[in-house]
């Protein structure tokens, strides 16, 4: 038997951690989630040129938002890592691009609801991210590159075209092709 | 309401990635209010972001980062989960709901009649929306029935989202929630349909010189 004082690493999934933050305000779960994803959020901030100090600061802000909004996390609608991506993305636009992020309000009285359950709703959210990851890995290098430049480096399609010295139309068609494959991997054929 | 006209996938992806400039993003966010199909696409695309974020090489945090964070959340209340607000059907008929999706209300308030409309030729009225991006310009247009929707066929891309009423071009009709995504090379001549005319959100590429040379404060005067 292992000695009693040895602390076993928290093996709970990101989703379970986020849920116990929401339900029991569990600071241990929050610490584990931060240790797991904080360094990646910091890397994400540095990819658009933030200094390590500024990246660290925005990562802190991101996780304060994660704490504050934890009860709005809906595991039927997204996985923890995707949800945290959206919070980090919005902080990055606000702090580093100095633009506002116009957002959909899911409770807007004008919102037209989904009529039928979507393919995404029928899939387990955690398996969606796995499918997406597998599908990204299978993309041809030129398509994977533009996806990365858009999502991680935050470049507009024009900026990607300038960076790669490739016509804008080609960049857009690579993105479109990669998106079609990703959506097929999610069982969405629309 | 069935949405027949959607933004191109490149815009949906750019919106999910967070790499799309603010003015275009307003049109996408507003369209999402009416369009479950595009909402689904955005959700799918956000999973790409989640997947790539999870796969990034870690950047070590400062040794004090966790303690600092735990200090910061001390006393920070968690928000209540949001509750749906009254929908059009549920609210009393006397209480007029805004025709504006919340993504737009956060920029221009909820009352289109109260906007300081600026008159252009042909009885078209516009109101420029102030944003922080130089790449594109967003404005609200109010067009009388039968009058042409201005500035189609110019160089560059243009999105027109119908907020109320409808307009038609040679090929199709655009009703509330429809987003016309016009690429560079197209020339059409849409006109506001009969009835009350049309209120729409129009976003287009800013002319190059405006992106770089003209101070923002002058732009409303120049009617771009
Ligand atoms: Zn749509």
């Amino acid at each position: 038997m292992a000695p009693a004082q040895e602390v076993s690493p928290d093996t709970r999934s990101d989703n379970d951690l986020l849920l116990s933050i929401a339900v029991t305000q569990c600071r241990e779960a929050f610490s584990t989630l931060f240790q797991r994803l904080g360094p990646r959020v910091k890397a994400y901030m540095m990819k658009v040129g933030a200094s390590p100090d500024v990246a660290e600061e925005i990562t802190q802000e991101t996780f304060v938002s994660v704490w504050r909004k934890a009860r709005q996390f809906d595991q039927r609608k997204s996985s923890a890592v995707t949800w945290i991506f959206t919070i980090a993305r919005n902080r990055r636009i606000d702090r580093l691009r100095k633009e506002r992020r116009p957002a959909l309000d899911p409770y807007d009285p004008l919102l037209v609801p989904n009529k039928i359950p979507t393919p995404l709703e029928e899939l387990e959210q955690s398996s969606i991210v796995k499918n997406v990851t597998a599908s990204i890995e299978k993309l041809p290098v030129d398509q994977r590159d533009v996806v990365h430049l858009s999502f991680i480096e935050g470049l507009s399609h024009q900026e990607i075209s300038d960076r790669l010295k490739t016509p804008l139309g080609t960049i857009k068609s690579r993105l479109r092709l990669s998106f079609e494959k990703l959506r097929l991997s999610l069982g969405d054929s629309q | 309401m069935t949405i027949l006209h959607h933004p191109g996938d490149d815009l949906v992806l750019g919106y999910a990635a967070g790499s799309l400039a603010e003015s275009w993003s307003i049109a996408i966010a507003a369209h999402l209010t009416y369009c479950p199909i595009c909402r689904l696409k955005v959700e799918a695309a956000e999973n790409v972001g989640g997947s790539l974020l999870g796969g990034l090489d870690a950047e070590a945090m400062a040794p004090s980062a966790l303690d600092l964070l735990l200090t910061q959340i001390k006393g920070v209340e968690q928000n209540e989960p949001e509750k749906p607000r009254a929908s059009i059907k549920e609210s009393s008929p006397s209480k007029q709901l805004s025709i504006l999706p919340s993504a737009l209300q956060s920029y221009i308030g909820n009352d289109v009649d109260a906007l300081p409309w600026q008159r252009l030729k042909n009885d078209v009225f516009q109101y420029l929306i102030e944003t922080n991006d130089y790449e594109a310009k967003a404005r609200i247009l109010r067009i009388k029935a039968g009058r042409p929707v201005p500035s189609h066929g110019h160089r560059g891309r243009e999105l027109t989202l119908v907020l109320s009423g409808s307009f038609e071009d040679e090929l199709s009709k655009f009703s509330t929630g429809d987003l016309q995504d016009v690429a560079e090379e197209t020339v059409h001549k849409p006109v506001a349909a009969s009835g009350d005319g049309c209120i729409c959100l129009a976003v287009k590429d800013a002319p190059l010189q405006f992106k770089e040379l003209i101070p923002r404060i002058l732009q409303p005067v120049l009617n771009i």
Side-chain angles (χ1 to χ4, degrees):
Chain A
M1 256 193 88
Q5 68 268 30
E6 194 173 290
V7 180
S8 62
D10 199 331
T11 52
R12 285 179 289 174
S13 71
D14 296 345
N15 273 27
D16 289 345
L17 291 171
L18 200 41
L19 289 175
S20 47
I21 296 167
V23 177
T24 64
Q25 289 78 50
C26 175
R27 294 161 72 88
E28 266 148 54
F30 186 58
S31 304
T32 305
L33 191 64
F34 177 66
Q35 279 160 335
R36 222 179 261 175
L37 289 174
R40 296 189 160 78
V41 171
K42 183 178 177 183
Y44 172 69
M45 298 305 167
M46 289 176 70
K47 291 284 184 187
V48 283
S51 70
D53 284 354
V54 170
E56 184 106 11
E57 210 178 287
I58 305 175
T59 305
Q60 292 272 346
E61 292 170 9
T62 301
F63 276 83
V64 173
S65 286
V66 167
W67 174 266
R68 189 179 291 124
K69 295 180 176 171
R71 290 167 70 183
Q72 282 157 28
F73 170 65
D74 181 349
Q75 61 171 342
R76 290 163 305 173
K77 285 197 161 168
S78 70
S79 73
V81 71
T82 296
W83 189 73
I84 291 174
F85 165 76
T86 62
I87 292 178
R89 173 198 64 196
N90 295 356
R91 289 309 298 156
R92 189 165 93 164
I93 293 171
D94 185 52
R95 287 290 308 272
L96 299 173
R97 283 240 308 265
K98 313 260 190 254
E99 288 184 8
R100 288 172 62 189
R101 167 75 182 179
L104 170 77
D105 171 4
Y107 300 112
D108 193 324
L110 295 179
L111 189 93
V112 177
N114 292 4
K115 279 203 197 81
I116 41 160
T118 63
L120 282 183
E121 282 167 1
E122 285 165 1
L123 276 172
E124 269 291 323
Q125 288 296 329
S126 52
S127 70
I128 288 177
V129 177
K130 277 193 202 112
N131 287 359
V132 167
T133 304
S135 167
I136 293 173
E137 276 161 14
K138 273 187 251 158
L139 290 176
V141 172
D142 59 352
Q143 290 176 25
R144 202 164 58 208
D145 284 350
V146 292
V147 169
H148 198 274
L149 288 168
S150 174
F151 278 83
I152 298 300
E153 315 257 331
L155 299 185
S156 72
H157 302 157
Q158 183 62 54
E159 288 165 337
I160 296 174
S161 152
D162 296 344
R163 165 93 61 103
L164 300 179
K165 299 187 173 56
T166 305
L168 183 59
T170 311
I171 300 300
K172 285 185 184 172
S173 73
R174 284 181 194 167
L175 280 165
R176 212 162 28 237
L177 284 170
S178 60
F179 194 33
E180 272 162 26
K181 287 179 203 159
L182 292 166
R183 292 173 67 221
L184 280 176
S185 78
L186 298 175
D188 178 14
S189 52
Q190 230 161 1
Chain B
M1 178 193 303
T2 308
I3 300 299
L4 298 174
H5 304 275
H6 307 272
D9 279 353
D10 60 318
L11 294 171
V12 172
L13 270 173
Y15 178 79
S19 56
L20 190 66
E22 187 179 352
S23 301
W24 306 113
S25 297
I26 297 173
I28 303 303
H31 173 73
L32 293 179
T33 311
Y34 309 100
C35 184
I37 292 171
C38 288
R39 285 206 296 273
L40 174 64
K41 286 187 182 181
V42 169
E43 282 168 23
E46 285 175 339
N47 280 304
V48 175
S51 162
L52 293 175
L53 176 71
L56 283 180
D57 289 335
E59 274 301 328
M61 299 289 292
S64 58
L66 179 59
D67 286 343
L68 178 62
L69 181 65
L70 292 175
T71 315
Q72 288 195 73
I73 59 159
K74 228 173 244 168
V76 172
E77 297 269 320
Q78 292 186 339
N79 294 349
E80 292 289 321
E82 284 185 55
K83 290 193 184 68
R85 299 196 299 269
S87 73
I88 293 174
K89 265 178 266 162
E90 291 154 1
S91 73
S92 67
S94 60
K95 202 175 144 225
Q96 195 75 41
L97 270 161
S98 175
I99 59 157
L100 299 173
S102 8
L104 263 170
Q105 287 192 26
S106 65
Y107 284 85
I108 63 171
N110 59 12
D111 184 2
V112 281
D113 291 323
L115 290 174
W117 291 99
Q118 178 191 5
R119 189 184 200 137
L120 304 177
K121 59 180 178 186
N122 282 329
D123 273 345
V124 172
F125 294 83
Q126 75 166 3
Y127 177 74
L128 290 170
I129 299 174
E130 200 172 315
T131 63
N132 292 312
D133 88 79
Y134 291 85
E135 191 187 308
K137 289 300 292 179
R139 57 183 175 165
I140 303 277
L141 293 170
R142 182 172 217 159
I143 306 144
K144 280 196 178 166
R147 298 291 191 178
V149 181
S151 114
H152 277 67
H154 80 304
R155 292 177 57 77
R157 198 170 192 173
E158 177 156 20
L159 305 180
T160 311
L161 172 72
V162 179
L163 301 167
S164 116
S166 60
F167 68 83
E168 295 164 334
D169 65 13
E170 298 85 337
L171 299 170
S172 28
K173 180 170 181 175
F174 297 81
S175 305
T176 305
D178 279 326
L179 187 148
Q180 185 192 41
D181 181 353
V182 178
E184 209 142 339
E185 58 281 2
T186 336
V187 178
H188 358 183
K189 296 197 171 7
V191 293
S194 56
D196 291 335
C198 178
I199 296 176
C200 50
L201 167 70
V203 183
K204 64 178 178 178
D205 281 314
L208 202 57
Q209 68 270 27
F210 287 102
K211 290 185 207 174
E212 284 153 15
L213 299 176
I214 307 288
R216 291 173 51 74
I217 194 78
L218 285 182
Q219 292 174 20
V221 183
L222 297 169
N223 284 357
I224 59 161

